[in-house]
Amino acid sequence: MSAVYDLTEEQRAIADTVGAFADEHLAPHAVDWDRDKHFPVDVLRKAAGLGLGGVYVREDVGGSGLARLDGVVAFEALATGCPSIAAYLSIHNMVAWTVDRHGDEDQRSRWLPRLCTAEHLASYCLTEPGAGSDAAAITTRAVRDGGHWVLDGVKQFISGAGAAQVYLVMARTGGPGPRGVSAFLVDRDDAGLSFGADERKMGWNAQPTRQVRLDGVRLPADRLLGAEGGGFRIAMAGLDGGRLGIAACSLGGARTALERALAHLGDREAFGARLLHAQALQFRLADMATELEAARALLHRAAAAVDRADPRAPELCAMAKRLATDSGFEIANQALQLHGGYGYLADYGIEKIVRDLRVHQILEGTNEIMRVIVARGLTGAA
């Protein structure tokens, strides 16, 4: 690769293949899935057939073994069809990568093959009703009982909850603060696991969001992922990758919105001329395209930093997530405005993209927390 932002022939092939899949299997159904609150598990399994169920997982257990830069190219392309479905698959991959990276060989061989095929879907369970941005303050507790762990607590805003088979749960095994947190693998069939009602949301309606409730969930010792007390570090490492995925999904949604705005302005006339010929609107389109390109460049730089284990990678991931999700939402919102009244109609699909992208500024760490991470990198503050 001559520069971070130039795609290799293989990466262009990934973009083309995944983009064609999104055009065929996601885009034609996205508005209906949103309206009907339908979670298309069958389509997720078709995506896994392209290798998108275990994008970053090593090949010996069925993964694709791709780099982070390859992954953001894939998720941007997938999100052009439906940001909600692409974002869920990004979360599923965050769990799969975490198991691959931190699991022992028995855990990898037990959990990952069916995650990679999406026979089993996964959910990431960190946030709680009283612990969102302050993730180190979680109160879900895991108590050792002989050769088992017993988990009690509630997780909030969990994507895929109820439909997923595998739940990566962060629970407190020690004292206050990050060092008292451990990571566990919970199966949907474990006794004591239940779910709240499907949340009514502004967007992301094509994937379920529910509470995950743990009431005396008794797990064998081999469900502990990594070392006891290492859960917070595991969770944060996963979120670096998750932020790249969500950023990429924002760019994919924004790209579709921009393309539709261009097509709409090319078709519409006002005051005897095509709207696309109005310089004021051309300037707005130019700004949208510039913001999209700038966010993509930073995202690719951050992904490359993760791939080479750059010490600045967490800071760059935070920068990229903040810029891509803010810019992505604003581009989609501008595209809605350029559609006039048509942009407000559900059948045109623009208002859905706006609603879907809005939550990207909140999840995987709010954009305010992204600024905290960047500021700490600048100032050296703890």
Side-chain angles (χ1 to χ4, degrees):
M1 197 169 5
S2 59
V4 172
Y5 318 113
D6 292 337
L7 298 185
T8 65
E9 184 176 342
E10 180 180 354
Q11 288 163 344
R12 287 194 293 271
I14 290 171
D16 291 344
T17 300
V18 177
F21 179 89
D23 289 344
E24 180 179 357
H25 296 287
L26 272 62
H29 311 291
V31 170
D32 291 342
W33 290 340
D34 177 78
R35 180 197 63 214
D36 299 337
K37 297 179 172 55
H38 173 66
F39 188 42
V41 173
D42 58 330
V43 176
L44 291 171
R45 289 175 179 153
K46 288 179 182 177
L50 293 180
L52 297 177
V55 175
Y56 312 112
V57 174
R58 283 170 280 177
E59 296 179 46
D60 64 310
V61 288
S64 298
L66 297 182
R68 290 292 176 177
L69 186 51
D70 303 327
V72 298
V73 169
F75 282 114
E76 178 180 340
L78 191 66
T80 60
C82 178
S84 175
I85 296 304
Y88 171 74
L89 204 53
S90 170
I91 294 167
H92 169 90
N93 273 276
M94 181 166 59
V95 175
W97 174 85
T98 301
V99 176
D100 188 46
R101 175 67 177 80
H102 298 282
D104 60 32
E105 290 308 308
D106 288 341
Q107 289 170 328
R108 294 180 67 246
S109 62
R110 175 181 177 182
W111 298 92
L112 288 172
R114 285 180 288 187
L115 290 176
C116 290
T117 63
E119 177 186 347
H120 285 176
L121 300 177
S123 291
Y124 181 87
C125 304
L126 176 62
T127 299
E128 297 181 358
S133 295
D134 186 6
I138 64 171
T139 59
T140 294
R141 178 156 289 277
V143 177
R144 192 190 296 270
D145 182 16
H148 291 76
W149 292 93
V150 180
L151 276 62
D152 290 279
V154 177
K155 296 296 181 177
Q156 184 77 30
F157 306 130
I158 305 304
S159 295
Q165 188 74 32
V166 180
Y167 298 84
L168 177 59
V169 176
M170 307 302 164
R172 188 162 300 285
T173 54
R179 295 182 180 177
V181 176
S182 299
F184 295 88
L185 292 167
V186 179
D187 189 277
R188 184 175 60 194
D189 298 329
D190 288 328
L193 185 71
S194 62
F195 309 97
D198 196 2
E199 302 284 5
R200 298 172 61 189
K201 308 186 294 288
M202 175 180 176
W204 271 28
N205 290 318
Q207 55 164 293
T209 303
R210 303 168 70 177
Q211 281 189 342
V212 172
R213 300 169 179 170
L214 303 113
D215 184 10
V217 175
R218 188 175 182 85
L219 303 178
D222 64 6
R223 299 289 193 87
L224 176 69
L225 186 68
E228 182 178 346
F232 188 78
R233 178 180 57 83
I234 289 172
M236 294 303 104
L239 281 174
D240 279 343
R243 287 162 184 161
L244 296 176
I246 289 300
C249 292
S250 290
L251 298 185
R255 192 171 97 200
T256 293
L258 175 57
E259 289 170 355
R260 292 184 184 179
L262 278 163
H264 179 77
L265 295 179
D267 289 340
R268 296 282 293 176
E269 289 190 3
F271 307 107
R274 290 194 181 277
L275 290 177
L276 192 60
H277 297 157
Q279 190 175 65
L281 301 185
Q282 290 177 351
F283 283 2
R284 188 175 297 190
L285 291 167
D287 286 345
M288 293 161 67
T290 301
E291 293 299 317
L292 184 63
E293 193 68 32
R296 182 182 293 116
L298 180 56
L299 176 59
H300 286 193
R301 181 182 178 193
V306 173
D307 287 334
R308 63 175 182 268
D310 188 321
R312 289 193 67 213
E315 180 184 347
L316 289 167
C317 288
M319 288 181 178
K321 192 268 182 180
R322 202 287 298 166
L323 182 63
T325 58
D326 280 351
S327 297
F329 173 76
E330 184 56 30
I331 290 165
N333 197 40
Q334 289 292 330
L336 189 155
Q337 186 72 19
L338 291 172
H339 274 75
Y342 292 100
Y344 207 66
L345 301 181
D347 286 348
Y348 278 72
I350 295 296
E351 60 86 31
K352 174 198 177 297
I353 296 174
V354 172
R355 290 186 288 105
D356 281 350
L357 296 193
R358 181 59 183 87
V359 75
H360 293 195
Q361 297 169 290
I362 298 171
L363 55 83
E364 313 292 38
T366 67
N367 283 1
E368 288 74 22
I369 293 299
M370 298 305 98
R371 291 176 172 91
V372 170
I373 294 170
V374 174
R376 286 174 176 171
L378 290 171
T379 64

